[in-house]
Amino acid sequence: SLRFEGQRQDQDVHLRKLILTLKGMTVEGSVRLPDIATPRVTFTATAGTLDLDRLLAPPASKKTWLAPAVAYAAVSPAAPRGTGFTAQGRITIGDLRYRGLALTAVQTDVQYQDGLVQLPDLRANFMNGKLTAKGELDLRPKVPRVALTSRLDNVATEPLVQALALGTWTLRSGLNLDGTVSFVGFSSPEILGSATGGGSLLLKDGRLIGYKPLERLSEVIAPILATQGVRVRLNEFEQMSGHYSLDKGVLRTKDLTLTKVEGTVTAVG
């Protein structure tokens, strides 16, 4: 459903109250078009809960008279080009969910012009920590392009690892990260296969659980060191820090440093 109230005066259209309900979720806001002849829109939008997985899910298949090729083309229309349409505003979301990731108290400015969406300032609570970011989404190419610069402060890694479905293992730690990344597409293979970027990370008070190669290594090394009076826990560390680069899904580091009670390990690879 769509409900709104407002007024028009000369060329000025002001919808001071607009309520959109879609797939069980409600967005409230306002829209203003100062001059109908010039498509420049200002807006505000507020949502209590927004589940992007549900919102972006394709609709149930329906019978259509269109030929398969035509129907497929009709599902993904190209972004508008050269229309001169611009929009800017502010979005506030209480609870935002996407692919197992949960953000709360989301606030961001949004700017749009001819298929280019820019987020100059995004802030949110993320996995028990804080997220600040800026980025842009370019809808003009056939495959959308995304560029993002972000900072994570004291983010819990365990729910993050589980949401990314990296394997049967998990990591309990607090993550601080500064990084940039760009990629094309929205599916996991597209993102991982095209991602490029870099940054720095810091993990504190970490414990790796269920990672089989490390468990096997510990089974071999721990008894040997125990005979010398040295007891180690390979799956625990006080701190891990370093810089990284990302090139088409390949992650590299030249200065990864792991600090443990027993000593320090540095790694390149």
Side-chain angles (χ1 to χ4, degrees), residues 11-13 31-43 80-88 111-115:
Q11 296 299 306
D12 182 5
V13 177
V31 176
R32 186 160 195 170
L33 181 60
D35 187 351
I36 295 179
T38 305
R40 296 178 180 176
V41 174
T42 59
F43 69 91
R81 299 172 182 271
T83 62
F85 176 78
T86 64
Q88 64 179 40
Q111 299 172 357
Y112 173 88
Q113 183 172 9
D114 290 339

Side-chain angles (χ1 to χ4, degrees), residues 235-248:
N235 67 331
E236 295 182 358
F237 59 88
E238 294 179 335
Q239 179 175 297
M240 181 187 295
S241 62
H243 295 80
Y244 68 89
S245 63
L246 185 62
D247 181 20
K248 295 182 179 179

Side-chain angles (χ1 to χ4, degrees), residues 73-96:
V75 173
S76 303
R81 299 172 182 271
T83 62
F85 176 78
T86 64
Q88 64 179 40
R90 188 162 184 81
I91 296 176
T92 303
I93 304 171
D95 185 2
L96 175 64

Side-chain angles (χ1 to χ4, degrees), residues 1-256:
S1 66
L2 175 64
R3 292 176 288 163
F4 59 88
E5 60 182 53
Q7 64 183 24
R8 172 179 173 177
Q9 185 174 3
D10 296 328
Q11 296 299 306
D12 182 5
V13 177
H14 184 197
L15 303 181
R16 57 183 175 272
K17 187 175 183 179
L18 185 148
I19 303 175
L20 171 66
T21 301
L22 181 62
K23 294 186 176 181
M25 294 170 285
T26 300
V27 179
E28 299 185 18
S30 63
V31 176
R32 186 160 195 170
L33 181 60
D35 187 351
I36 295 179
T38 305
R40 296 178 180 176
V41 174
T42 59
F43 69 91
T44 63
T46 302
T49 300
L50 196 60
D51 188 336
L52 292 182
D53 292 315
R54 193 195 323 168
L55 189 63
L56 298 176
S61 59
K62 297 180 180 180
K63 293 182 179 179
T64 176
W65 57 269
L66 294 175
V70 177
Y72 176 80
V75 173
S76 303
R81 299 172 182 271
T83 62
F85 176 78
T86 64
Q88 64 179 40
R90 188 162 184 81
I91 296 176
T92 303
I93 304 171
D95 185 2
L96 175 64
R97 298 182 180 274
Y98 179 61
R99 292 182 176 270
L101 302 176
L103 295 88
T104 59
V106 180
Q107 292 188 338
T108 181
D109 295 322
V110 180
Q111 299 172 357
Y112 173 88
Q113 183 172 9
D114 290 339
L116 182 64
V117 182
Q118 294 180 313
L119 307 176
D121 183 22
L122 185 151
R123 300 176 183 273
N125 298 328
F126 180 57
M127 301 298 185
N128 300 326
K130 299 287 185 181
L131 164 68
T132 56
K134 63 179 180 179
E136 67 177 33
L137 169 62
D138 192 347
L139 299 172
R140 293 170 296 184
K142 184 176 181 180
V143 181
R145 299 179 182 274
V146 178
L148 184 67
T149 299
S150 60
R151 176 180 177 84
L152 302 178
D153 292 304
N154 200 31
V155 169
T157 57
E158 187 168 15
L160 184 60
V161 170
Q162 292 174 350
L164 296 175
L166 298 178
T168 57
W169 58 273
T170 188
L171 173 64
R172 293 178 182 172
S173 180
L175 169 65
N176 295 281
L177 181 143
D178 285 285
T180 61
V181 63
S182 61
F183 54 87
V184 298
F186 294 118
S187 69
S188 296
E190 288 175 327
I191 293 173
L192 292 176
S194 63
T196 60
S200 62
L201 61 85
L202 172 63
L203 294 164
K204 292 185 177 181
D205 300 323
R207 185 181 180 190
L208 193 61
I209 301 172
Y211 190 64
K212 297 300 182 182
L214 187 60
E215 291 178 351
R216 295 192 187 100
L217 182 62
S218 181
E219 290 172 357
V220 174
I221 294 179
I224 298 174
L225 294 178
T227 61
Q228 303 176 26
V230 179
R231 300 192 178 277
V232 297
R233 293 183 177 180
L234 297 182
N235 67 331
E236 295 182 358
F237 59 88
E238 294 179 335
Q239 179 175 297
M240 181 187 295
S241 62
H243 295 80
Y244 68 89
S245 63
L246 185 62
D247 181 20
K248 295 182 179 179
V250 179
L251 192 65
R252 296 183 174 89
T253 180
K254 295 183 178 180
D255 60 356
L256 190 66

